[in-house]
């Protein structure tokens, strides 16, 4: 068996911190949750993991972390095979998966002390300094003495993230890291993720918020029905989808009629905005046709495709926020 067959052949380009080959998980009863996944997460990236409900995201993450065994295929984390090298690799990996596990009767600070005490490599002499730094980094210093059971969902998410940040990590795996946060809290966590990446930590995050992925991620992968649909740089994924023609007018019904007569597909009207697929003709011709028909045109443009447009184009479905 050569190196490629063992799943150990490195890829050209930047080194990868997560590398799966043919990763498959079939549960008892025959359900195929993940089907032949080849995933490559470049070092230093902020990697978004997208997919509708039942697409295999959570099962994949659990296999990456060695929580469940794959039916077939290989996983390499930080260049080492999983789960065989879990004892060596996992101390270098921080994770927040399916919500943090907290002791409700303990304060936020004492929860982190307990997490840190469970790490055999952690120096107890500097434990309280590490805990204080982690609390400060996620904005929980003022609430550190409050019992965790009194925390809001957003505060619990922050505390779970603080636990993942007690030690410097080469890789951070986050499942819905902004779940339950208000808009300000979401912005703070996004900023923190960017700072971590700037410091050299690779961040792998699963999220149902497409705009979040677009704002914070450098790379992304899209899953559907257990299979990888596409992966690559976020900018390239979005550029692969067509934008939308947008006409702003106080005469939306008439504008929609004219656009349909011009052969524009998927025409929809919402208030004073009429949108459709980009036409195969010059926009000046479209504008002239609208004006000739008496439509008062206040604006006409083709908006850049978003990651959501790319997702719909790739999977043929909308995004299920339960994902």
């Amino acid at each position: 068996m050569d190196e490629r067959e063992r799943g150990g052949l490195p890829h050209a380009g930047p080194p990868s911190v997560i590398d799966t080959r043919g990763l498959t998980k079939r549960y008892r009863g025959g359900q195929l949750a993940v089907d032949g996944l080849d995933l490559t997460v470049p070092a230093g990236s902020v990697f978004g993991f997208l997919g509708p409900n039942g697409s295999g995201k959570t099962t994949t993450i659990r296999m990456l972390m060695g929580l469940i065994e794959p039916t077939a295929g290989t996983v390499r984390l930080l260049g080492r095979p999983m789960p065989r090298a879990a004892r060596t690799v996992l101390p270098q990996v921080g994770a927040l998966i399916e919500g943090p596990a907290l002791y409700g009767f303990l304060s936020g600070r004492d929860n982190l002390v307990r997490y840190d005490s469970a790490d055999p490599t952690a120096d107890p002499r500097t434990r309280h300094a590490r805990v204080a730094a982690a609390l400060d980094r996620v904005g929980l210093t003022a609430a550190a003495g409050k019992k965790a059971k009194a925390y809001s969902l957003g505060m619990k998410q922050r505390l779970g993230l603080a636990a993942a940040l007690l030690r410097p990590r080469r890789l951070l795996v986050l499942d819905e890291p902004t779940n339950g946060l208000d808009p300000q809290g979401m912005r703070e966590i996004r900023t923190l993720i960017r700072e971590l990446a700037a410091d050299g930590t690779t961040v792998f995050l699963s999220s149902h918020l497409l705009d979040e992925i677009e704002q914070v991620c450098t790379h992304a992968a899209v899953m559907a029905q257990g299979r990888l649909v596409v992966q690559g740089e976020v900018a390239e994924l979005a550029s692969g989808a067509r934008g939308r023609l947008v006409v702003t007018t106080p005469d939306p019904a008439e504008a929609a009629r004219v656009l349909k007569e011009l052969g524009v597909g998927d025409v929809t009207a919402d208030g004073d905005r009429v949108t459709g697929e980009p036409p195969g003709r010059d926009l000046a011709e479209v504008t002239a046709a609208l004006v000739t028909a008496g439509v008062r045109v206040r604006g006409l443009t083709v908006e850049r495709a978003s990651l959501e447009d790319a997702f719909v184009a790739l999977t043929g479905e909308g995004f299920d926020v339960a994902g």
Side-chain angles (χ1 to χ4, degrees):
M1 180 183 291
D2 67 15
E3 188 72 8
R4 183 185 299 275
E5 291 174 309
R6 289 197 298 268
L9 189 67
H11 292 275
S16 57
V17 297
I18 298 175
D19 198 2
T20 74
R21 288 293 167 264
L23 189 63
T24 300
K25 182 63 179 179
R26 187 184 294 276
Y27 288 107
R28 290 177 183 174
Q31 179 195 357
L32 189 60
V34 177
D35 185 7
L37 176 63
D38 293 343
L39 189 68
T40 302
V41 177
S45 65
V46 180
F47 196 99
F49 198 42
L50 293 165
N53 190 32
S55 63
K57 299 196 310 297
T58 299
T59 300
T60 298
I61 290 173
R62 291 174 70 81
M63 287 191 287
L64 293 179
M65 301 301 296
L67 298 173
I68 58 174
E69 289 262 8
T71 306
T74 61
V75 176
R76 295 184 76 85
L77 233 58
L78 305 179
R80 303 292 300 277
M82 290 289 288
R84 194 165 73 242
R87 192 168 289 186
T88 303
V89 170
L90 291 183
Q92 303 174 71
V93 180
L96 177 57
I97 301 172
E98 295 180 330
L102 304 173
Y103 295 97
F105 62 91
L106 293 179
S107 70
R109 180 184 294 107
D110 286 343
N111 265 280
L112 294 190
V113 168
R114 177 155 301 197
Y115 270 112
D116 196 74
S117 300
D119 183 350
T121 66
D123 185 348
R125 294 170 298 180
T126 52
R127 178 160 295 140
H128 289 286
R130 279 194 300 279
V131 168
L135 287 166
D136 180 65
R137 194 149 203 189
V138 300
L140 279 180
T141 300
K146 185 184 294 187
K147 288 187 176 180
K149 65 182 178 182
Y151 278 17
S152 67
L153 177 60
M155 291 169 72
K156 289 176 180 175
Q157 284 291 103
R158 289 169 184 259
L159 189 60
L161 191 52
L165 296 174
L166 281 167
R167 303 289 301 278
R169 311 289 185 180
R170 289 178 60 190
L171 171 64
L172 197 57
V173 178
L174 306 176
D175 187 15
E176 302 285 354
T178 60
N179 185 34
L181 297 180
D182 59 20
Q184 176 62 26
M186 292 172 71
R187 283 192 292 272
E188 290 170 358
I189 295 301
R190 288 172 186 164
T191 299
L192 175 58
I193 289 172
R194 293 188 191 101
E195 290 173 353
L196 290 166
D199 289 344
T201 300
T202 303
V203 182
F204 181 89
L205 72 93
S206 168
S207 176
H208 70 264
L209 301 173
L210 284 159
D211 64 332
E212 176 170 82
I213 297 294
E214 199 157 20
Q215 287 182 49
V216 78
C217 292
T218 58
H219 297 71
V222 176
M223 294 281 287
Q225 298 179 335
R227 287 177 169 267
L228 179 70
V229 178
V230 70
Q231 66 181 319
E233 295 184 17
V234 167
E236 291 181 1
L237 296 182
S239 68
R242 302 182 72 197
R244 294 283 289 176
L245 173 70
V246 180
V247 178
T248 307
T249 173
D251 311 308
E254 185 65 11
R257 183 190 64 78
V258 173
L259 291 178
K260 289 175 182 176
E261 289 181 354
L262 292 172
V264 174
D266 191 24
V267 176
T268 60
D270 182 12
D272 64 353
R273 278 171 55 97
V274 181
T275 67
E277 295 177 354
R281 62 179 75 201
D282 193 282
L283 292 185
E285 294 181 32
V286 177
T287 305
L290 289 166
V291 173
T292 300
V295 176
R296 290 167 290 176
V297 178
R298 290 177 176 164
L300 188 148
T301 187
V302 174
E303 290 186 345
R304 182 182 67 85
S306 67
L307 191 58
E308 183 172 6
D309 296 325
F311 180 89
V312 173
L314 289 164
T315 65
E317 58 186 304
F319 202 81
D320 185 340
V321 296

